[in-house]
């Protein structure tokens, strides 16, 4: 009985608080509303610049001209707008009033009516005059959207200017509130909209939408409706590069009157046909509007001519070249193949052709790619550096076309390149493009992508070590989880130490969750040399992954207990440094290491007190509100004091992601023989650099290749040339986001963001057998430009916000080693030249065909003085002894 009583009470409460009622818009009656919409664009933070935009007001007559005889809620509304006026969106003095000299009535919206099919509060479709303009029709769709309301609580799917969206309704008395989930809105896919699959170099767009309806006292009509939509965009690594879009609408009932002309017909379509004229069936989604170019528009050739000096080779790695690159990029994206081809072939552009090819590769249109292919011959060895540079630029594409991928893939499998260097870079590029394509499932499953992956997997089984290395390097860039089994399978059976080293480097790029017990078994087998002796570098790479990824507590215990028994004392010292470094990491792996060391049988001086010079060191390079950049130095010496391998890694962390901004790995091999040392490898003498830039492995640079090169040094007083080896010189695309924000009011806002990096990266080696010294210099000079735009797309108004941020800097990393006596001495120097940053922000507002223009600008500058970084504690005494105190005081390096 009690259950029945509670059930009745629950039903009564449900009826009381969730009433469902019917509107009563009467046939033949016109309902007059005042309608206004306002759109403001500003910075996404407090700013002295204020907002720009537009306020539009009009009178909306809503007449009921047809009604379904079987359902009085199924009606046809004729919506006609009168007396449309434009005003400033914000208060402004007369001399800054864009609209003051304009006629108060502007034909931004035509007098053509639209017909809305309205059924129980939902607008299913519209009928618009074929003579109406797109922008005018969109404003009317915005009015119709405010007539769309649901009288019961709950979720629904509705279509309005934003697309097809999920909305939630709550009702209380005569107030209805609608919340629209803007992230759920679906619009037809457009090739003109894209973003970066890596959040760290992407943007965040926050949004919300609320509409409040107030019904008349008898709940028969909508008394008023007010709506707000807010968007905030910001660059993930720097939130002050931002914009805000605020859109509001209001619809207020004024009066009603009889006498509206009704239409005859058995259906909505029949009623519209009886109205006369040509009407087109539409939905409530905004139709795309094209904004015509104004006096500021220039042809691509004019843009190139204007920035030619900034794009010269001498300006690489400077802010002016990065900014000029973005200007040409925008021009190329709207240009035909013929136009771009003419620019590339223009003799006046001969000196900047490599930089123009950088742009063509990043444009990511078929026209630009075909134009570049018209002057690039992959069989021409003289173009080796140009071809490699172009391929690297293409590798950073964030929305590569399948046609371009297929072309490059066929070039690789058909052996269509000039030499092995170009072939390697082509494979590395395809690896990066696989990574980008596989960020979305449908692109990953295309035939060409799957064929390329299969080709790389098959290549791991090749009898040629060079082919296995090529395929491993490509898979290293692909970072495709399905490749882990193939890589670990190769590591389990491989005998060639160089191949194993590359395979371990490829594994290192995967996230910790992919390091299963099976993967860790292979790593432990290599580190502990359970099956066969391996090189010291293989052991170093294996133990780095064991400790840094997803170790079990037993893995850590076994590693630490192995340290006192290591025959390679410098490896033991490196492992100790790595273990201690992991104890400071705030990660699952760090916690596992700390837990293992709490056992006194493990974390004691006997295990962790070995002497040596190899080290692992980590510190912060820069720490801002939105991003952190740290650097990691790993150095492995041989027992004879030779620098066997050194890694200098710069990682950026932001928006929940990490990116290898730069890794420079210096190596030497095969030199131990000259000092009577055995390190487990049978490699021929060599030295060089391996470079990763922005998560991409570049082709390794060999500075010394073979015993003949080494003996040549000896005959030349034992010194390498010391000349510079460029790893990468060029300009590449970073940020690339294009999005149309469709507002319920009928206005569209275009948001674009492009970022480019101009870099000069390389190194030099000075190595003397006679003096038993070596100096390695890694130089990294670069500039970044980020350009953003948020603007309203309408033919009668130009208004929006632009920002343009630029930064430049230089970091040099120098390693000096003296191995004339044992123990060897080394000195590391890491120096940053003054860092410059500036951000230009501009808001503007101008009516079409008006000479009045409102504009406000701000420039923000920051300069960070030159820095020298203190490195590990054992570094400073060595530097003092090698270079003396006087030089120390002059340089301040240590």
């Amino acid at each position: 009985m009690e259950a029945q009583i509670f059930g009745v009470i629950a039903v009564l409460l449900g009826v009381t608080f969730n009433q469902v009622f019917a509107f009563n818009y009467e046939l033949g009656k016109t309902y007059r509303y005042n309608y206004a919409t306002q759109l403001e664009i500003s910075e996404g933070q407090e700013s002295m610049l204020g907002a720009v935009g537009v306020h539009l007001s009009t009178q909306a007559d809503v007449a009921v001209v047809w009604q379904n005889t079987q359902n009085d809620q199924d009606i046809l509304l004729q919506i006609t707008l009168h007396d449309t006026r434009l005003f400033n969106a914000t208060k402004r003095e007369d001399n800054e009033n864009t609209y003051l000299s304009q006629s108060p009535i502007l034909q931004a919206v035509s007098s053509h009516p639209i017909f809305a099919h309205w059924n129980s509060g939902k607008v299913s479709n519209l009928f618009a005059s074929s003579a109406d303009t797109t922008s005018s029709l969109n404003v009317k769709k915005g009015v119709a959207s405010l007539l769309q309301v649901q009288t019961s609580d709950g979720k629904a799917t509705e279509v309005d200017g934003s697309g097809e969206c999920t909305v939630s309704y709550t009702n209380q008395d005569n107030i209805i509130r609608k919340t629209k989930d803007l992230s759920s809105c679906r619009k037809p896919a457009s090739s003109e909209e894209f973003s970066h699959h890596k959040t760290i170099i992407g943007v965040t767009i926050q949004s919300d939408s609320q509409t409040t309806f107030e019904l008349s006292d008898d709940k028969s009509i909508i008394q008023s409706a007010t709506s707000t939509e807010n968007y905030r965009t910001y660059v993930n690594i720097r939130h002050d590069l931002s914009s805000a879009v605020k859109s509001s609408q209001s619809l207020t009932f004024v009066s009603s009157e009889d006498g509206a002309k009704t239409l005859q017909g058995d259906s909505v379509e029949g009623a519209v046909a009886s109205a006369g004229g040509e009407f087109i069936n539409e939905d409530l989604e905004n139709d795309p509007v094209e904004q015509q170019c104004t006096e500021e528009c220039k042809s691509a050739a004019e843009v190139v001519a204007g920035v030619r000096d900034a794009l010269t080779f001498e300006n690489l790695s400077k802010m002016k070249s990065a900014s000029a690159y973005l200007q040409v990029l925008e021009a190329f994206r709207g240009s035909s193949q013929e136009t771009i081809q003419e620019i590339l072939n223009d003799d006046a552009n001969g000196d900047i052709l490599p930089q123009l090819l950088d742009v063509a590769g990043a444009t990511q249109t078929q026209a630009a790619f075909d134009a570049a292919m018209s002057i690039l011959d992959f069989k021409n060895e003289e173009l080796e550096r140009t071809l490699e540079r172009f391929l690297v630029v293409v590798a950073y594409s964030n929305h590569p076309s399948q046609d371009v991928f297929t072309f490059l893939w066929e070039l690789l499998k058909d052996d269509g390149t000039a030499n092995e260097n170009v072939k390697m870079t082509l494979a590395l590029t395809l690896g990066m493009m696989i990574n980008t394509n596989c960020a979305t499932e449908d692109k990953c499953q295309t035939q060409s992508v799957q064929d390329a992956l299969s080709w790389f997997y098959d290549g791991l089984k090749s009898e040629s070590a060079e082919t296995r290395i090529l395929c491993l390097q490509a898979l290293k860039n692909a970072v495709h989880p399905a490749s882990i089994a193939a890589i670990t399978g190769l590591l389990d059976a491989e005998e060639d130490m160089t191949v194993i080293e590359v395979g371990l480097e490829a594994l290192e790029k995967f996230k910790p969750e992919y390091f299963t017990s099976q993967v860790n078994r292979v790593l432990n087998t290599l580190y502990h040399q359970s099956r066969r002796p391996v090189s010291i570098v293989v052991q170093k790479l294996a133990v780095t992954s064991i400790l840094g990824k997803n170790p079990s507590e037993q893995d850590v215990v076994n590693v630490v207990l192995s340290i006192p028994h290591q025959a390679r004392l410098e490896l033991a010292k490196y492992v100790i440094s790595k273990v201690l470094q992991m104890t400071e990491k705030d990660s699952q792996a760090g916690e596992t290491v700390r837990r293992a060391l709490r056992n006194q049988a493990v974390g004691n001086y006997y295990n962790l007190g070995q002497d040596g010079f190899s080290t692992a060191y980590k510190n912060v390079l820069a720490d801002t509100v939105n991003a952190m950049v740290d650097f990691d130095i790993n150095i492995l010496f041989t027992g004879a004091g030779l620098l066997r391998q050194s890694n200098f890694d710069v990682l950026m962390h932001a928006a929940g992601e990490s990116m290898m901004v730069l890794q420079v790995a210096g190596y030497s091999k095969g030199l131990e023989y000259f000092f009577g040392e055995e390190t487990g490898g049978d490699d021929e003498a060599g030295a060089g650099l391996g470079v990763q830039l922005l998560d991409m492995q570049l082709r390794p640079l060999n500075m010394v290749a073979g015993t003949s090169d080494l003996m040549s040094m000896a005959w030349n007083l034992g010194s390498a040339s010391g000349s510079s080896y460029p790893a990468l010189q060029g300009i590449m695309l970073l940020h690339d986001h294009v999005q149309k924000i469709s507002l319920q009011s009928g206005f569209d806002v275009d948001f674009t963001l492009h970022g480019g990096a101009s870099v000069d990266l390389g190194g030099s080696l000075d190595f003397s057998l006679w003096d038993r010294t070596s100096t390695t210099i890694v130089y990294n000079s670069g500039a970044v430009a980020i350009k953003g735009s948020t603007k309203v797309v309408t033919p009668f108004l130009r208004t929006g916000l632009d920002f343009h941020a630029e930064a430049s800097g230089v970091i040099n990393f120098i390693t000096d080693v003296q191995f004339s006596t044992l123990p060897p001495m080394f000195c590391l120097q890491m120096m940053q030249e003054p860092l410059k940053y500036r951000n230009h922000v501009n808001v503007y507002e101008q009516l079409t065909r008006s000479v009045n223009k409102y504009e406000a600008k701000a420039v923000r500058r920051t300069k960070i003085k030159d820095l020298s970084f203190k490195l590990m504690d054992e570094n400073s005494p060595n530097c003092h002894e090698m270079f003396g105190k006087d030089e120390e005081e002059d340089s301040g390096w240590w």
Side-chain angles (χ1 to χ4, degrees):
M1 186 67 179
E2 288 180 351
Q4 289 179 331
I5 293 173
F6 280 115
V8 170
I9 293 173
V11 171
L12 290 174
L13 287 172
V15 171
T16 302
F17 293 103
N18 191 20
Q19 297 180 20
V20 179
F21 47 86
F23 289 102
N24 186 23
Y25 280 101
E26 298 178 27
L27 181 65
K29 183 173 281 191
T30 298
Y31 300 83
R32 179 158 294 170
Y33 288 88
N34 285 334
Y35 173 76
T37 181
Q38 182 162 299
L39 174 59
E40 297 177 34
I41 295 177
S42 62
E43 286 193 90
Q45 57 187 0
E46 290 189 16
S47 171
M48 297 295 292
L49 292 179
V52 291
V54 62
H55 179 98
L56 180 150
S57 67
T58 190
Q59 177 183 297
D61 288 346
V62 181
V64 183
V65 296
W66 178 87
Q67 188 174 51
N68 188 337
T69 57
Q70 305 299 315
N71 177 8
D72 61 4
Q73 291 294 298
D74 183 11
I75 59 179
L76 186 67
L77 303 176
Q78 178 179 297
I79 302 173
T80 309
L81 304 187
H82 306 281
D83 192 21
T84 302
R85 299 169 184 263
L86 300 181
F87 304 94
N88 282 119
T90 57
K91 291 184 179 180
R92 204 174 289 161
E93 298 294 331
D94 286 352
N95 62 334
E96 296 180 339
N97 191 335
T98 311
Y99 303 90
L100 190 62
S101 63
Q102 281 290 314
S103 168
I105 299 178
L106 180 71
Q107 292 303 315
V109 181
S110 74
S111 59
H112 296 294
I114 62 168
F115 295 97
H117 184 196
W118 189 94
N119 192 340
S120 301
K122 180 163 287 191
V123 178
S124 56
N125 57 316
L126 300 175
F127 298 88
S129 170
S130 60
D132 214 346
T133 64
T134 303
S135 59
S136 171
L137 175 58
N138 284 345
V139 171
K140 295 169 188 175
K141 288 181 176 182
V143 177
S145 293
L146 285 187
L147 297 172
Q148 191 159 234
V149 61
Q150 178 175 295
T151 58
S152 60
D153 288 357
K155 290 187 176 183
T157 300
E158 292 182 354
V159 175
D160 61 21
S162 304
E164 185 179 15
C165 313
T166 300
V167 296
S168 301
Y169 283 94
T170 57
N171 300 339
Q172 186 175 7
D173 296 328
N174 65 334
I175 302 297
I176 301 175
R177 290 183 173 85
K178 177 169 69 173
T179 301
K180 179 166 56 177
D181 180 4
L182 290 168
S183 66
S184 72
C185 296
R186 296 192 302 273
K187 298 182 292 183
S190 170
S191 61
E192 296 179 356
E193 292 187 77
F194 40 80
S195 59
H196 208 291
H197 70 286
K198 293 185 178 180
T199 306
I200 195 168
I201 49 175
V203 301
T204 293
I205 298 183
Q206 299 172 334
S207 58
D208 63 79
S209 173
Q210 304 283 337
T211 304
T212 301
F213 300 91
E214 181 180 356
L215 307 184
S216 59
D217 291 340
D218 61 0
K219 300 183 180 180
S220 62
I221 66 169
I222 298 171
Q223 187 72 25
S224 68
T226 58
S227 177
T228 60
E229 281 185 314
N230 297 296
Y231 288 83
R232 179 173 179 256
T233 71
Y234 58 83
V235 179
N236 286 333
I237 60 173
R238 185 138 190 143
H239 291 192
D240 62 331
L241 301 180
S242 61
S243 65
V245 177
K246 181 179 180 180
S247 174
S248 62
Q249 294 173 271
S250 66
L251 188 69
T252 306
F253 176 71
V254 178
S255 63
S256 64
E257 59 184 32
D258 296 325
K261 181 181 178 180
T262 60
L263 301 176
Q264 304 301 313
D266 296 331
S267 64
V268 168
E269 289 76 14
V272 173
S274 71
E278 184 180 354
F279 288 87
I280 301 169
N281 197 335
E282 292 266 352
D283 58 28
L284 276 176
E285 288 186 27
N286 292 348
D287 291 328
V289 176
E290 290 189 9
Q291 191 162 29
Q292 297 299 317
C293 226
T294 64
E295 73 278 358
E296 295 180 3
C297 291
K298 297 179 181 179
S299 69
E302 290 173 323
V303 171
V304 171
V307 298
R308 189 175 287 131
D309 290 342
L311 286 175
T312 57
F313 179 80
E314 291 74 21
N315 284 319
L316 272 182
S317 76
K318 293 183 174 61
M319 288 190 288
K320 61 175 67 176
S321 63
S323 296
Y325 165 88
L326 295 181
Q327 292 182 54
V328 180
L329 177 74
E330 292 178 3
F332 273 18
R333 282 194 165 166
S335 300
S336 66
Q337 176 184 344
E338 182 181 6
T339 297
I340 298 173
Q341 209 164 309
E342 287 176 357
I343 292 171
L344 297 179
N345 287 315
D346 189 340
D347 290 341
N349 297 326
D351 290 342
I352 62 169
L353 180 59
Q355 287 72 260
L356 292 178
L357 286 170
D358 290 343
V359 180
T363 300
Q364 300 179 74
T365 64
Q366 196 62 45
F369 186 80
D370 290 343
M373 288 302 99
S374 70
I375 64 171
L376 292 176
D377 179 4
F378 276 88
K379 283 290 190 181
N380 187 345
E381 285 205 47
E382 293 181 359
L383 294 178
E384 176 186 319
R385 290 187 63 180
T386 302
L387 292 168
E388 288 194 273
R389 177 169 165 175
F390 179 78
L391 287 170
V392 170
V393 168
V394 171
Y396 289 106
S397 300
N398 65 313
H399 55 284
S401 77
Q402 288 302 307
D403 289 340
V404 170
F405 183 90
T406 301
F407 173 84
L408 296 176
W409 153 234
E410 290 178 349
L411 199 65
L412 177 66
K413 71 183 179 70
D414 295 338
D415 205 19
T417 55
N419 56 35
E420 292 302 312
N421 286 345
V422 177
K423 184 177 182 179
M424 171 63 82
T425 300
L426 176 56
L428 292 165
T429 294
L430 285 166
M432 281 291 286
M433 295 177 78
I434 288 172
N435 179 265
T436 301
N437 277 300
C438 288
T440 53
E441 185 64 26
D442 56 335
K443 291 183 179 179
C444 191
Q445 295 303 319
T446 58
Q447 192 62 50
S448 55
V449 171
Q450 290 300 310
D451 286 348
L453 278 169
S454 296
W455 192 86
F456 290 133
Y457 295 153
D458 290 342
L460 299 183
K461 305 170 188 174
S462 170
E463 293 183 2
S464 166
E466 288 75 15
T467 299
R468 299 197 298 277
I469 289 172
L470 178 142
C471 294
L472 282 170
Q473 295 281 27
L475 292 173
K476 179 179 180 180
N477 280 345
V479 201
H480 190 51
S483 67
I484 292 177
I487 295 172
T488 53
L490 176 141
L491 294 175
D492 226 5
E494 183 62 54
E495 296 294 333
D496 188 300
M497 292 299 112
T498 302
V499 175
I500 297 176
E501 290 171 14
V502 177
L504 288 169
E505 290 169 353
L507 272 186
E508 179 66 20
K509 292 198 71 174
F510 287 93
K511 294 180 180 179
E513 55 262 34
Y514 294 109
F515 281 73
T516 62
S517 58
Q518 174 62 22
V519 175
N520 281 348
R521 182 193 65 77
V522 174
L523 294 173
N524 277 288
T525 297
L526 291 170
Y527 169 68
H528 294 288
Q529 304 185 90
S530 304
R531 293 186 183 175
R532 63 195 185 281
V534 296
S535 71
I536 188 173
V537 174
V538 167
Q539 284 189 282
K540 178 238 181 188
L541 294 170
V543 76
T544 300
S545 290
I546 292 170
L547 295 172
K549 294 297 183 177
N550 188 22
S552 68
E553 189 170 340
Q554 190 59 51
D555 286 336
V556 178
V557 169
N558 292 342
V559 166
V560 175
L561 293 180
S562 75
I563 293 173
H565 308 289
Q566 276 290 347
R568 298 162 175 170
L569 299 182
E570 286 298 331
L571 176 65
K573 181 60 171 65
Y574 171 81
V575 175
I576 292 170
S577 293
K578 203 67 184 176
V579 168
L580 296 178
Q581 185 188 82
M582 288 301 302
T583 62
E584 300 173 0
K585 286 195 73 172
D586 182 18
S587 65
Q588 182 179 336
E591 176 56 35
T592 302
V593 172
R594 287 190 292 274
R595 191 166 57 248
L597 293 182
R598 292 190 191 112
N599 183 342
Q600 292 184 0
V602 179
N604 55 52
Y605 184 79
Y606 175 72
N607 293 328
L608 301 175
Q610 304 296 316
D611 202 6
F613 294 93
S614 299
T615 188
Y617 178 78
K618 190 168 191 172
N619 209 339
V620 174
L621 186 63
D623 194 0
T624 69
V625 176
N626 311 128
M628 185 182 78
V629 181
D630 55 37
F631 66 93
D632 201 343
I633 300 173
N634 296 304
I635 300 176
L636 180 65
F637 287 100
T638 70
L642 292 169
L643 182 62
R644 183 63 176 86
Q645 189 183 61
S646 67
N647 280 36
F648 172 59
D649 301 347
V650 178
L651 292 103
M652 180 168 61
H653 313 277
E657 283 189 357
S658 297
M659 170 182 279
M660 181 73 75
V661 177
L662 174 68
Q663 180 189 75
V664 181
Y667 67 90
S668 66
K669 58 183 180 179
L671 304 182
E672 299 87 351
Y673 168 80
F674 295 92
F675 301 90
E677 184 183 6
E678 176 58 48
T679 58
D682 55 0
D683 296 311
E684 197 174 17
L689 289 176
V691 177
Q692 279 191 62
L693 183 66
L694 300 173
D695 272 346
M696 179 182 179
Q697 176 66 54
L698 304 180
R699 179 176 63 80
L701 297 176
N702 294 319
M703 297 177 177
V704 178
T707 306
S708 59
D709 272 8
L710 194 63
M711 297 311 296
S712 176
M713 290 182 197
W715 285 109
N716 288 283
L717 297 181
S719 179
S721 65
S723 59
S724 176
Y725 295 81
L728 180 64
Q729 295 172 318
I731 317 174
M732 61 212 60
L733 188 63
L734 292 179
H735 303 81
D736 194 16
H737 187 102
V738 175
Q739 182 173 346
K740 186 176 292 296
I741 298 173
S742 297
L743 301 171
Q744 180 178 284
S745 63
F747 287 109
D748 283 342
V749 175
D750 278 354
F751 171 64
T752 61
L753 181 83
H754 304 306
S758 180
V759 300
D760 184 5
L761 172 65
S764 64
L765 171 66
D766 192 348
F767 176 76
S768 173
L769 280 175
W770 295 107
D771 297 329
R772 294 197 174 191
T773 61
S774 70
T775 299
T776 305
I777 300 176
V778 175
Y779 58 86
N780 178 30
S781 174
V784 172
I786 301 176
K787 187 176 181 182
S789 170
T790 305
K791 65 180 181 181
V792 179
V793 183
T794 178
F796 59 83
L797 176 68
R798 287 185 64 256
T799 186
L801 174 146
D802 296 330
F803 62 77
H804 187 176
E806 303 169 306
S808 66
V810 177
I811 292 181
N812 294 320
F813 186 69
I814 304 171
T815 305
D816 287 288
V817 181
Q818 289 182 1
F819 47 93
S820 54
T821 60
L822 291 179
M825 297 177 61
F826 67 91
C827 176
L828 308 181
Q829 305 164 42
M830 180 173 162
M831 294 159 290
Q832 174 184 293
E833 295 185 13
L835 176 67
K836 300 175 184 176
Y837 172 80
R838 58 177 177 244
N839 179 22
H840 301 259
V841 186
N842 177 41
V843 293
Y844 58 90
E845 183 182 278
Q846 183 178 26
L847 285 168
T848 303
R849 296 185 296 276
S850 171
V851 295
N852 290 343
K853 180 178 181 180
Y854 172 76
E855 196 167 23
K857 299 181 179 182
V859 181
R860 300 167 185 131
R861 293 184 173 89
T862 303
K863 185 175 181 179
I864 300 174
K865 65 179 182 178
D866 56 319
L867 297 171
S868 58
F869 295 86
K870 183 182 183 302
L871 304 179
M872 57 285 260
D873 291 339
E874 58 264 43
N875 186 57
S876 297
N878 283 348
C879 294
H880 298 167
E881 188 168 344
M882 289 174 66
F883 296 103
K885 187 174 181 181
D886 291 340
E887 188 167 343
E888 173 198 353
E889 291 174 348
D890 290 340
S891 64
W893 287 341
W894 315 296

